[in-house]
Amino acid sequence: MSQEPTFVNSIVHEDLDNPDDVVFYEIWNCSRETWLAEEATKPYRNAPFEQAGPMVIERTLNWLVSAGEWGSRLTSGKHH
């Protein structure tokens, strides 16, 4: 994923109060339509979920728009 031209960063969060909850954020510099057409279909995207098997109860995709940023410039640049 890190070799993809529109990839910016990814972050994994574990919930201290709910250790079974894990949130994985990906930051991309492309539109939702571009990501769905070009990135969502990449074969490497299935491997983590296949390996996790029954441990994955739910997987949701959300598109969030940065409303502000402090301490870094991860979301600066082109916005779609």
Side-chain angles (χ1 to χ4, degrees), residues 5-60:
T6 58
F7 175 77
V8 176
N9 196 13
S10 61
I11 302 166
V12 177
H13 288 271
E14 295 178 347
D15 188 328
L16 293 176
D17 296 321
N18 300 298
D20 291 337
D21 290 351
V22 176
V23 177
F24 184 73
Y25 293 93
E26 295 178 14
I27 301 173
W28 293 84
N29 194 9
C30 62
S31 68
R32 177 190 321 210
E33 293 76 17
T34 298
W35 190 90
L36 286 170
E38 298 176 10
E39 301 303 332
T41 58
K42 301 279 172 97
Y44 65 77
R45 292 206 158 269
N46 294 327
F49 298 103
E50 290 170 0
Q51 291 171 356
M55 292 187 295
V56 176
I57 296 169
E58 179 183 10
R59 177 181 176 205
T60 59

